[in-house]
Amino acid sequence: MSGMRARITRTGRVLEDTFFKQAKAKGYVARSAFKLQEIQQKHKLIPPGGQVLDLGCHPGAWLQVACESLGPAKKGGRVIGVDIQETKKPDKFCDDRVAIFQADARDLGPEFWAEHCPGGFDVVLSDMCHFTLGNSVADAYKSLELARTAWGIATGGELATEQADPNLPWGAPGRGVLKPGGNLVMKLLQGTGTQEFAAELRRDFAKVAWHRPKATRSESKEVFLLGLKRK
């Protein structure tokens, strides 16, 4: 952090750091953009012209990176953002392929998915988070709940069978919205149950991996769990 001033709280948390300043300079609405960029560069989750669902999309940094990853507008593609908070589409990096809906994703049924992505999604992203309580055990549990919600939306979660019934509509219980071969990314706070959850994902994906981006704050227990290539 040489050559840079940073505001630091009494607990030592850096409020403005290199990634914060880089995000602001480049036009990203949050430093979290660099987390998805790093994951995308390593795992190539989002295909050119793909269909992307971003759960917990506020404030829109992952929408920006997802839209960039689709390639030029002529390649097509779609990014659907869902968040319980009102979220404005960022002016930079997001084009007409990005649509945002203020809603609780758990309340969206097959009718919604049939209208907005009738062929399913290539990628489901979840940067969903809760207001932390300062209790590491409780915070990890709540983050695990949100990750399981994302898993349920993507694949049907616990209700799914090893081979989803292709006759069920997208978003129906037991099928989810993620296409075969598609990828899932979920934010978690490390704690009790996270390793067991990763083991559950192996039923649905050819590969399960962990990723901790460089843009993650050093004191954070945040990590991303990836389900690659849905079976």
Side-chain angles (χ1 to χ4, degrees):
M1 295 177 63
S2 60
M4 180 197 71
R5 287 187 175 182
R7 291 188 294 137
I8 305 176
T9 68
R10 285 182 298 174
T11 61
R13 182 177 180 185
V14 179
L15 296 181
E16 293 183 3
D17 60 13
T18 303
F19 291 107
F20 174 88
K21 292 191 172 186
Q22 286 181 359
K24 188 173 181 180
K26 293 183 177 182
Y28 294 113
V29 297
R31 68 201 302 281
S32 58
F34 299 118
K35 299 176 185 179
L36 182 57
Q37 277 188 343
E38 183 180 318
I39 295 170
Q40 171 68 5
Q41 288 166 4
K42 181 173 182 179
H43 296 283
K44 303 295 187 293
L45 304 170
I46 302 170
Q51 304 289 325
V52 182
L53 173 62
D54 183 3
L55 300 171
C57 66
H58 187 83
W62 278 28
L63 295 173
Q64 292 176 294
V65 175
C67 191
E68 279 187 290
S69 301
L70 296 181
K74 64 182 180 181
K75 288 186 175 292
R78 182 81 160 155
V79 181
I80 299 291
V82 179
D83 201 290
I84 58 174
Q85 297 186 69
E86 184 177 358
T87 304
K88 179 181 179 293
K89 184 193 298 187
D91 295 327
K92 196 168 185 180
F93 303 120
C94 288
D95 56 31
D96 291 341
R97 292 174 292 179
V98 177
I100 302 172
F101 298 88
Q102 184 177 4
D104 186 328
R106 293 168 293 190
D107 297 334
L108 300 176
E111 299 81 6
F112 177 87
W113 305 118
E115 178 180 355
H116 297 289
C117 196
F121 291 95
D122 298 293
V123 185
V124 175
L125 307 172
S126 174
D127 196 30
M128 291 191 291
C129 62
H130 61 285
F131 292 108
T132 55
L133 305 171
N135 180 313
S136 60
V137 174
D139 287 336
Y141 178 78
K142 285 184 174 294
S143 79
L144 182 58
E145 280 189 324
L146 290 174
R148 296 187 77 89
T149 294
W151 175 46
I153 291 170
T155 71
E158 294 174 343
L159 298 177
T161 58
E162 289 197 14
Q163 294 295 328
D165 184 351
N167 296 314
L168 290 172
W170 293 109
R175 186 181 189 190
V177 300
L178 186 64
K179 298 177 185 177
N183 302 307
L184 171 64
V185 179
M186 297 167 289
K187 178 161 72 178
L188 278 166
L189 298 180
Q190 292 173 308
T192 303
T194 53
Q195 293 296 332
E196 291 81 0
F197 178 48
E200 287 185 78
L201 290 187
R202 293 189 175 92
R203 181 201 67 188
D204 293 338
F205 294 93
K207 181 179 179 181
V208 174
W210 294 96
H211 193 103
R212 182 177 168 86
K214 294 177 182 177
T216 304
R217 297 185 188 278
S218 60
E219 74 274 16
S220 174
K221 292 185 177 294
E222 178 184 284
V223 69
F224 292 88
L225 180 58
L226 283 57
L228 305 173
K229 299 189 182 302
R230 184 184 183 184
K231 296 176 181 177

